[in-house]
Amino acid sequence: MRSQFRPCIDLHNGQVKQIVGGTLHDTDVKQLQTNFVSTQPAEHYARMYKESGLLGGHVIMLGPHNDTSAMSALSTYPDALQVGGGINLSNAQQWIDRGASKVIVTSWLFPDGKFSMDRLDQMEKLVGRAKLVVDLSCRRTKTGNWIVAMNKWQTLTDMQVSKLVLEALAKKCSEFLVHAADVEGLCNGIDEDLVVALAEWSPIPVTYAGGASSIRDLQLVTKLSKGRVDLTIGSALDIFGGTQIKYTACVEWNRTGCLPTEL
């Protein structure tokens, strides 16, 4: 059993971008740090993933003005991409109908920063457990714990990532998506402790994102998680302007489990 590469399409103001985690604010646009802004539309990447046979990728809408781009990606590769960003009870089924394989929900579950099991129950009843992904993207505290962050990772919630929490939430959803917000977009290495914890604590599939800087990180995540955690790679990929990791190498890893011979 080995960890899989999971692709992504991050959208900001309708464009495909790679953004340094935690720098996106609703009001202070000057703090935004962008690693990459694509000249290609979202459907270009969806088509690429479709041609490569990649499944379980996610389309994340970072703020407003992304619906059209997200819909174009989903129509290009229907029932294969998950969608998140602003998902709530009023639009979740609409995104499923538009071609999302699953919906990813975060901030809506935390009114005023406090987790609502009632809201999770409502969402599960609406779209079904099999179509629901809970995003537990988090920040690490000085004491070494991970706290779920919402509102583009700017607001810490009242939820600490733990075995008990993951086991409880797993009864209501089919996957977890976890961005390590402190290392997201920096390409300086993954949060190894978090990967190990997610593998030990989660009874359902988990995709980790944040800090990948080498194709060997797929091998590392496989070792740390015993293949129970998948890895999303963004800013380091050549298709997003990165220099450390070739997209074709990630596709080959998924197919064969082999790293490039030149390593």
Side-chain angles (χ1 to χ4, degrees), residues 82 96 100-103 123-124 127-133 170-175:
Q82 304 168 2
I96 296 293
S101 61
K102 302 183 181 187
V103 289
M123 186 63 75
E124 184 209 6
V127 300
R129 178 176 180 269
K131 293 284 187 180
L132 182 57
V133 179
K171 297 175 183 178
K172 302 293 182 179
C173 64
S174 57
E175 288 186 44

Side-chain angles (χ1 to χ4, degrees), residues 215-228:
I215 187 65
R216 290 189 183 278
D217 283 332
L218 282 164
Q219 194 175 55
L220 176 60
V221 171
T222 296
K223 179 181 178 181
L224 294 172
S225 72
K226 298 180 175 60
R228 299 190 65 243

Side-chain angles (χ1 to χ4, degrees), residues 117 120 124 129 132 134 136 163-176 201-205:
M117 181 58 81
L120 182 57
E124 184 209 6
R129 178 176 180 269
L132 182 57
V134 171
L136 296 177
K163 188 174 190 294
L164 287 177
V165 165
L166 295 186
E167 288 177 343
L169 299 184
K171 297 175 183 178
K172 302 293 182 179
C173 64
S174 57
E175 288 186 44
F176 294 123
W201 295 343
S202 177
I204 60 174

Side-chain angles (χ1 to χ4, degrees), residues 172-245:
K172 302 293 182 179
C173 64
S174 57
E175 288 186 44
F176 294 123
L177 173 63
V178 181
H179 290 81
D182 297 313
V183 299
E184 173 72 16
L186 298 179
C187 303
N188 286 331
I190 63 172
D191 185 336
E192 297 185 22
D193 295 336
L194 180 55
V195 171
V196 171
L198 292 172
E200 292 179 352
W201 295 343
S202 177
I204 60 174
V206 184
T207 296
Y208 166 91
S213 59
S214 165
I215 187 65
R216 290 189 183 278
D217 283 332
L218 282 164
Q219 194 175 55
L220 176 60
V221 171
T222 296
K223 179 181 178 181
L224 294 172
S225 72
K226 298 180 175 60
R228 299 190 65 243
V229 174
D230 290 338
L231 177 65
T232 290
I233 303 172
S235 294
L237 275 182
D238 56 355
I239 62 171
F240 295 130
T243 58
Q244 299 102 315
I245 305 174

Side-chain angles (χ1 to χ4, degrees), residues 32-141:
L32 180 65
Q33 296 179 37
T34 304
N35 286 332
F36 175 76
V37 180
S38 180
T39 58
Q40 298 288 347
E43 60 263 31
H44 166 80
Y45 295 94
R47 189 174 303 110
M48 185 186 306
Y49 301 156
K50 182 178 182 180
E51 291 172 353
S52 299
L54 298 177
L55 296 172
H58 55 262
V59 179
I60 302 295
M61 299 177 288
L62 299 167
H65 314 303
N66 292 309
D67 284 22
T68 300
S69 294
M71 285 188 286
S72 69
L74 296 178
S75 63
T76 300
Y77 196 11
D79 303 316
L81 296 169
Q82 304 168 2
V83 67
I87 301 299
N88 55 48
L89 211 59
S90 66
N91 62 22
Q93 186 59 51
Q94 187 177 43
W95 283 107
I96 296 293
D97 295 339
R98 288 168 173 172
S101 61
K102 302 183 181 187
V103 289
I104 305 166
V105 62
T106 315
S107 296
W108 183 77
L109 295 176
F110 294 88
D112 299 318
K114 298 180 180 180
F115 175 68
S116 169
M117 181 58 81
D118 181 60
R119 286 195 172 193
L120 182 57
D121 286 337
Q122 293 179 58
M123 186 63 75
E124 184 209 6
K125 289 177 182 177
L126 177 67
V127 300
R129 178 176 180 269
K131 293 284 187 180
L132 182 57
V133 179
V134 171
D135 185 334
L136 296 177
S137 296
C138 54
R139 288 184 174 278
R140 198 168 192 171
T141 66

